[in-house]
Amino acid sequence: MMKPRFLLYSIWIGSVLGLVLPAASLTVFRLGGEDLPPPELDVPFEFVQLSWADVSSAQHGVTELVDVAPGAVAPQQLDPQVNLVPLLEGGGGQVQALTWIGWGPANGRDEAMFDGDPATAFLGDGDWGGDYGVIQQKSLAFDLGGRFLLERIRFYPRSRFFTDRFVQRFIVGINDGDPLKDGTRQFTRGIRGSDLDFDIVYDVTENTEAVIELPLPSVPVRQLLFEAPENTQGIWEIAEFEIYGNGYAPFASYVSNVIDLGALASLGEVSWGGRLDEGAQVELSMRSGLDEDPNTYWRSTFRGAERTRYDDRGRALTLSSYNKLQRGEQAGITHDTENWAFWGAAYDFEQKRGRMVGDGPQRYVQIRADFASSASASSQVNYVQFAVSIPPVATQALAEIVPSAVVPGEATLFTYKLRPQISGDDLGFDSIQIDTPSRVRAIEAVRISGQSVAFDVVSQEESGFVVRIPRIDVQRTEELVEVDFHAEVFQFGTVFSGQLFDSERPAEVPQSITAGDADALVDSDRLSVDLTRFGSQTIGALSVSSAICTPNGDGVHDVVQLHCELLNLVGSVPVQAELYDLSGRWRGVVWADALSSGRHVVRWDGRDGGGALVEPGVYLLRLRVEADRGIDTRQVVLSVAY
């Protein structure tokens, strides 16, 4: 049988799989992919097409170093033949010059270096006017507006002055834009608190060339410093200062506008399409909320360190009113923890789909794509698509699990306590899906308001189970539903998430269950389970199906099964079985895989690491786990006989 979560999710993504659905209150949203046809479903549904380009800061959308097109969003790519300096301002960057009051925008005289006309020049004669005062050098900071891979810089005087107005002494520095490094780089320039610091790339003191073309390190750069002294060998000049890059922006980001779903909705699964080059990364994530603004805005009252979320008339601050405050009044922006979930963990981009993030029904959604590229490898997201159901299954569904701490790997009787709040047009449900870390041993009972009720086990898989119960609707709202089952836990903080759905409405998106106080008599309020023994050990119970391996092809003990429990692993880690003879001689790796926490089976067929049958005798089969806390090993003794 197909896993229930995939069965339920695949119903609404019929646009991809071409499934036929019964009537449902379904809305499908697609961000990007405007060149794709609308979904084709055999049920009534609403389709909402959103554009990558419709991103606005007023709606909390953000783009950083991305190219946005109707069909895709991707990191910007630099042309190594295009001078970046004239493009800086349009890309969010700028050119700054150091004056006697600090760094400020380059003035009209400086712009002769950036006007694209090699017949005009900035004259380095030291007579730079009152704006420069006693500054003894010409210092320019080129802010690229983001971090790019730069390839080279080039500068030169007017052609008729090649022989006598070249720059003899100069410094070139770079700053990668990491604020944690500010103040620690080797070279600082600034006045009265406007310091900028750089790592020096070139410190040239005896140049005799007119045209200077210098390669730059292949590292991300946000700012580039050029500095020449007031007086070197006389007058020097720069007709054009040019910066060239190559490859993709190392780091780029796209955050969509806040998407209004229209009403409280059950969140389903999200799917996407795109391209991911080897050596590049794209982290696709989402968050959901109950109001149209994911932020909280703060105003300084100027009474010590006091700050408030309200303006001077007592009105709650919004993005618009916060931006209108004086700079000194703006006291910061924080995440709205009351109404919005944090950004969820990044999806596995190769999987092309995942579960949407949200505790219960949500009204608003936001999508984010963070790109990491190399000079030659990048990625793009063509579209992101998701579906929601309005009305939801329930206005709220709180659940907790007891006990909340267990012995690792030991079968434990758990009770999943669920209290749904159903009101108005909420659909109600008759099925509960509970996600478990391994196949449950048994599903013992279901109770509603303390009374045992009949139930059916619809499915029982390695990752969870589904039970069907008497229908819970508005007439039975807030009744406590309890499900008893035996299961094992191998990971500290294992979460038993779950979903609710109506088996008679298969086109509806299932409702996620929220951890909370479902039973006031239980001191838990959570769906995570800890371990009573939590140490550095990663290998728990270890046993073999037979202590003797007889690989003669008769079907009896031809293969030995090594049963092992892996504990508290962070994701999947390398695990291998190594064979040794009693003299301690290594006979090779006889099995290897990447495994996560849980119960696993390692099989050995009596062969060494090269595939040859070993001679009769006694051997050690050592299990080796490379965890983040170090390497853990356990071994068993096996005999081989013919």
Side-chain angles (χ1 to χ4, degrees):
M1 178 183 295
M2 182 183 293
K3 290 186 179 182
R5 69 177 64 177
F6 294 149
L7 174 62
L8 294 170
Y9 290 159
S10 62
I11 288 170
W12 69 261
I13 57 171
S15 60
V16 177
L17 303 181
L19 302 179
V20 177
L21 308 179
S25 55
L26 198 66
T27 302
V28 178
F29 291 81
R30 182 190 292 160
L31 176 60
E34 296 171 60
D35 53 343
L36 300 175
E40 295 182 2
L41 303 177
D42 292 334
V43 298
F45 75 100
E46 181 180 356
F47 176 61
V48 179
Q49 176 68 63
L50 304 172
S51 173
W52 291 117
D54 292 337
V55 59
S56 167
S57 59
Q59 296 175 278
H60 311 287
V62 179
T63 60
E64 182 178 355
L65 306 184
V66 292
D67 288 328
V68 178
V73 59
Q76 292 179 6
Q77 185 176 18
L78 300 182
D79 186 334
Q81 303 305 316
V82 174
N83 176 20
L84 297 177
V85 177
L87 308 177
L88 293 185
E89 186 173 349
Q94 61 178 329
V95 182
Q96 292 182 291
L98 184 61
T99 73
W100 69 279
I101 60 173
W103 290 99
N107 64 19
R109 184 179 299 186
D110 300 326
E111 291 172 359
M113 287 184 278
F114 325 127
D115 61 2
D117 183 359
T120 62
F122 173 86
L123 194 61
D125 60 358
D127 183 17
W128 299 328
D131 288 344
Y132 293 92
V134 296
I135 297 297
Q136 298 300 310
Q137 71 279 329
K138 183 61 176 176
S139 301
L140 297 173
F142 298 84
D143 188 332
L144 305 176
R147 289 184 283 180
F148 288 96
L149 293 175
L150 300 183
E151 185 176 77
R152 58 195 169 96
I153 61 170
R154 185 171 184 263
F155 58 92
Y156 48 88
R158 288 171 290 182
S159 59
R160 67 179 185 271
F161 296 113
F162 272 12
T163 60
D164 58 353
R165 290 191 178 179
F166 52 84
V167 181
Q168 181 183 2
R169 294 167 51 197
F170 60 87
I171 291 173
V172 176
I174 57 175
N175 179 312
D176 63 2
D178 184 349
L180 297 179
K181 298 180 182 177
D182 289 349
T184 67
R185 299 178 181 92
Q186 65 189 103
F187 188 79
T188 301
R189 275 290 179 261
I191 296 175
R192 298 183 181 177
S194 65
D195 291 358
L196 298 177
D197 58 350
F198 302 87
D199 294 317
I200 298 302
V201 179
Y202 293 101
D203 186 351
V204 177
T205 59
E206 297 181 355
N207 171 57
T208 58
E209 299 293 329
V211 179
I212 303 297
E213 188 161 355
L214 300 171
L216 294 173
S218 183
V219 296
V221 176
R222 173 64 190 253
Q223 294 176 321
L224 183 140
L225 170 73
F226 172 78
E227 182 172 288
E230 174 191 5
N231 194 348
T232 307
Q233 78 291 353
I235 296 175
W236 56 268
E237 68 174 47
I238 294 179
E240 290 297 316
F241 192 100
E242 302 167 353
I243 302 175
Y244 296 90
N246 195 5
Y248 297 95
F251 306 100
S253 180
Y254 179 95
V255 181
S256 75
N257 293 341
V258 170
I259 301 168
D260 187 353
L261 305 179
L264 284 177
S266 292
L267 306 180
E269 196 179 55
V270 58
S271 62
W272 56 87
R275 187 198 84 246
L276 180 60
D277 296 341
E278 184 176 354
Q281 293 181 344
V282 55
E283 294 189 347
L284 189 67
S285 57
M286 60 85 59
R287 63 178 175 179
S288 58
L290 298 173
D291 63 20
E292 60 187 7
D293 194 328
N295 300 320
T296 298
Y297 305 93
W298 299 90
R299 178 178 67 89
S300 173
T301 64
F302 300 108
R303 293 190 290 267
E306 183 184 68
R307 61 178 189 166
T308 177
R309 293 187 294 176
Y310 302 93
D311 63 15
D312 54 7
R313 296 184 181 182
R315 298 171 299 189
L317 289 169
T318 64
L319 175 60
S320 176
S321 61
Y322 181 82
N323 288 335
K324 293 177 182 177
L325 294 176
Q326 297 295 322
R327 183 66 60 88
E329 289 184 285
Q330 295 179 345
I333 302 174
T334 59
H335 176 77
D336 180 2
T337 57
E338 296 179 8
N339 298 297
W340 275 80
F342 289 101
W343 289 104
Y347 297 110
D348 183 344
F349 194 75
E350 302 280 1
Q351 294 296 319
K352 303 298 184 184
R353 66 181 184 182
R355 183 181 295 182
M356 297 182 73
V357 176
D359 286 338
Q362 303 291 309
R363 171 72 184 263
Y364 299 90
V365 165
Q366 202 169 20
I367 305 294
R368 177 173 183 163
D370 292 317
F371 302 90
S373 307
S374 66
S376 59
S378 187
S379 55
Q380 70 179 39
V381 181
N382 297 339
Y383 70 89
V384 177
Q385 183 169 292
F386 60 91
V388 301
S389 283
I390 302 173
V393 169
T395 299
Q396 187 180 65
L398 297 180
E400 55 190 315
I401 192 168
V402 292
S404 58
V406 299
V407 176
E410 183 175 294
T412 303
L413 178 62
F414 289 99
T415 299
Y416 202 88
K417 295 174 176 285
L418 167 70
R419 191 177 297 276
Q421 179 184 340
I422 303 174
S423 58
D425 296 327
D426 292 351
L427 301 178
F429 64 96
D430 66 1
S431 300
I432 305 173
Q433 174 183 317
I434 298 176
D435 301 325
T436 60
S438 60
R439 181 186 290 269
V440 297
R441 295 291 186 92
I443 302 162
E444 306 288 357
V446 175
R447 294 179 297 279
I448 300 178
S449 295
Q451 301 297 316
S452 295
V453 297
F455 65 94
D456 294 321
V457 178
V458 177
S459 66
Q460 189 171 340
E461 307 291 339
E462 293 297 327
S463 58
F465 64 92
V466 174
V467 293
R468 187 163 299 150
I469 65 174
R471 181 174 178 78
I472 304 293
D473 54 24
V474 69
Q475 304 299 321
R476 307 190 69 170
T477 183
E478 303 213 28
E479 292 195 54
L480 181 64
V481 180
E482 298 173 286
V483 182
D484 295 339
F485 59 92
H486 276 91
E488 299 149 321
V489 176
F490 305 93
Q491 176 73 44
F492 186 90
T494 294
V495 177
F496 287 74
S497 55
Q499 293 183 298
L500 308 175
F501 61 95
D502 186 345
S503 64
E504 297 181 0
R505 296 175 179 266
E508 300 295 340
V509 171
Q511 168 99 24
S512 295
I513 294 172
T514 303
D517 188 9
D519 187 349
L521 300 179
V522 173
D523 184 18
S524 173
D525 301 352
R526 58 178 180 157
L527 290 173
S528 60
V529 175
D530 298 337
L531 302 180
T532 56
R533 296 198 303 266
F534 181 58
S536 60
Q537 183 179 2
T538 58
I539 303 176
L542 193 67
S543 63
V544 292
S545 59
S546 171
I548 301 177
C549 180
T550 58
N552 54 15
D554 64 357
V556 179
H557 301 315
D558 287 336
V559 176
V560 172
Q561 295 183 346
L562 178 65
H563 298 270
C564 61
E565 293 178 356
L566 302 183
L567 309 175
N568 291 313
L569 301 178
V570 179
S572 296
V573 303
V575 180
Q576 63 186 32
E578 301 173 331
L579 187 67
Y580 295 83
D581 60 27
L582 282 187
S583 68
R585 185 164 60 102
W586 185 67
R587 302 295 296 270
V589 176
V590 297
W591 181 94
D593 202 352
L595 302 178
S596 57
S597 298
R599 180 172 286 111
H600 303 279
V601 177
V602 174
R603 293 174 173 83
W604 180 55
D605 60 0
R607 298 178 184 272
D608 62 19
L613 286 172
V614 300
E615 58 274 14
V618 179
Y619 295 87
L620 297 178
L621 190 63
R622 177 174 297 170
L623 192 68
R624 185 177 190 272
V625 179
E626 297 183 28
D628 59 331
R629 298 186 300 276
I631 296 175
D632 195 9
T633 62
R634 294 276 300 279
Q635 62 191 32
V636 295
V637 178
L638 296 173
S639 297
V640 175
Y642 294 100

